[in-house]
């Protein structure tokens, strides 16, 4: 009986044919597939900048910038979207989330087309802030001050807001003057600008 009956450990062992019909009961272990899922995920993907990328070239302010240095200023996306600022085979639009890229984005074009457009994560708000200012005065950048160096693009003071400790020093060190003022005298982010009295609140404290 031990040699003849399966229940007793015997019997004839033959290879079982694989089933062509899917199981009716869910499995505990998920099935692994080499193909992408056609079902969209319920949780959005969090974009991560390419930490190794910095802008190329030798232009003051615009060269040597990391994605983190751009902050939320999308102005730099257009300024750096030039071959001279590409680095590590990537442009700013391929490396930085604020410009539509990420560390997972390959510099090689995809062979598959996207079925939905990309959405920007930084959208301006139309509502005023509900938090009262702690400063008694407001700083206004010199409106006609422009920085031009090694590029046809003229940068106003607002371009320095993303990383003032970096940009102000770069432009200040080369002694750049516009309309008779240095960056330290013209731009609020660098300690200059026009200081005007802030409008008093119409709401009682």
């Amino acid at each position: 009986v031990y040699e003849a009956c399966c229940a007793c450990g015997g019997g004839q062992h033959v290879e079982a044919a694989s089933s062509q019909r899917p199981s009716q009961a869910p499995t505990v272990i998920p099935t692994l597939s080499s193909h992408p899922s056609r079902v969209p995920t319920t949780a959005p993907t969090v974009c991560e900048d390419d930490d190794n990328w910095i802008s190329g070239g030798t232009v003051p302010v615009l060269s040597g910038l990391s994605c983190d240095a751009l902050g939320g200023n999308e102005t730099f996306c257009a300024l750096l979207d030039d071959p001279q600022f590409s680095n590590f085979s990537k442009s700013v639009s391929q490396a930085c989330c604020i410009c539509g890229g990420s560390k997972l984005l390959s510099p090689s074009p995809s062979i598959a087309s996207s079925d939905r457009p990309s959405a920007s994560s930084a959208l301006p708000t139309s509502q005023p802030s509900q938090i009262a200012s702690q400063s008694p005065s407001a700083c206004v950048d010199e409106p006609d001050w422009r920085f031009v160096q090694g590029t046809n693009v003229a940068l106003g003071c607002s371009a320095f807001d993303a990383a003032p400790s970096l940009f102000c020093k770069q432009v200040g060190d080369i002694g750049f003057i516009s309309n008779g003022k240095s960056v330290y005298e013209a731009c609020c982010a660098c300690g200059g600008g026009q200081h005007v009295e802030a409008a008093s609140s119409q709401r009682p404290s």
Side-chain angles (χ1 to χ4, degrees):
V1 66
Y2 294 115
E3 297 174 318
C5 301
C6 292
C8 300
Q12 300 178 6
H13 293 272
V14 296
E15 183 179 356
S18 59
S19 174
Q20 300 300 317
R21 299 176 59 186
S23 172
Q24 299 300 314
T27 61
V28 178
I29 302 175
T31 303
L32 300 178
S33 173
S34 59
H35 301 287
S37 173
R38 296 184 178 276
V39 181
T41 177
T42 56
T45 302
V46 178
C47 184
E48 294 185 35
D49 293 322
D50 188 333
D51 296 332
N52 296 320
W53 188 88
I54 58 172
S55 56
T58 57
V59 181
V61 177
L62 297 181
S63 296
L65 298 179
S66 65
C67 293
D68 186 59
L70 305 186
N73 193 340
E74 294 184 354
T75 302
F76 285 100
C77 298
L79 296 176
L80 296 176
D81 197 19
D82 185 281
Q84 67 174 316
F85 300 118
S86 294
N87 206 359
F88 301 112
S89 300
K90 276 189 174 184
S91 66
V92 67
S93 60
Q94 295 172 320
C96 304
C97 293
I98 187 64
C99 302
S102 76
K103 73 175 184 179
L104 301 178
L105 186 64
S106 170
S108 303
S110 172
I111 59 175
S113 59
S114 172
D115 59 354
R116 60 179 61 185
S118 300
S120 174
S121 60
L123 298 176
T125 176
S126 61
Q127 300 297 323
S129 173
Q130 300 299 316
I131 302 175
S133 172
Q134 300 298 316
S135 303
S137 64
C139 184
V140 179
D141 293 322
E142 290 286 347
D144 297 326
W145 193 91
R146 295 290 185 273
F147 170 73
V148 181
Q149 180 79 17
T151 176
N152 294 326
V153 180
L155 300 178
C157 287
S158 61
F160 295 78
D161 293 342
S165 60
L166 173 66
F167 301 153
C168 298
K169 186 177 187 305
Q170 285 187 339
V171 176
D173 285 351
I174 64 175
F176 182 83
I177 300 295
S178 174
N179 288 337
K181 289 189 176 184
S182 69
V183 67
Y184 295 116
E185 298 170 315
C187 301
C188 295
C190 303
Q194 303 173 3
H195 291 272
V196 298
E197 183 178 354
S200 59
S201 172
Q202 301 301 315
R203 299 176 59 185
S205 64

